């Protein structure tokens, strides 16, 4: 199983025998976005990432933040 989001998307795209332009068209995102996603760009819009992931039956969401730990003072 791929260990990163970039590898996961590329792997699933290839399993479905889609080119990057095909994936972009089906997801409703730009080709540049797909290329940046597969190259592991650190800053991508989550809504666009989810448009791609939904084609594979997946979705990303922000992790819940444990705000109680933020309030603790550190010595």
């Amino acid at each position: 199983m791929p260990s990163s989001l970039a590898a996961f998307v590329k792997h699933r795209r290839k399993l479905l025998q889609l080119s990057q332009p095909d994936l972009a068209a089906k997801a409703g995102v730009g080709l540049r976005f797909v290329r940046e996603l597969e190259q592991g760009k650190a800053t991508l819009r989550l809504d666009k990432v989810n448009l791609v992931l939904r084609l594979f039956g997946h979705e990303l969401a922000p992790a819940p933040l444990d705000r109680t730990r933020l309030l603790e003072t550190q010595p």
Side-chain angles (χ1 to χ4, degrees):
M1 170 159 250
S3 61
S4 71
L5 178 60
F8 174 81
V9 170
K10 187 173 186 177
H11 177 74
R12 294 300 293 262
R13 174 179 63 78
K14 289 185 175 191
L15 280 177
L16 296 174
Q17 299 179 338
L18 295 172
S19 66
Q20 286 181 334
D22 291 339
L23 179 60
K26 288 184 179 293
V29 298
L31 176 57
R32 180 178 177 177
F33 179 82
V34 170
R35 288 181 176 153
E36 290 174 345
L37 177 58
E38 287 191 2
Q39 290 171 358
K41 182 177 178 187
T43 55
L44 293 169
R45 287 182 40 184
L46 186 58
D47 60 332
K48 287 188 175 189
V49 170
N50 280 329
L51 288 174
V52 173
L53 291 179
R54 285 183 193 127
L55 292 176
F56 309 134
H58 294 273
E59 184 175 82
L60 283 179
L65 182 62
D66 183 357
R67 296 189 185 281
T68 58
R69 296 190 77 194
L70 290 175
L71 298 175
E72 294 174 4
T73 58
Q74 304 226 349

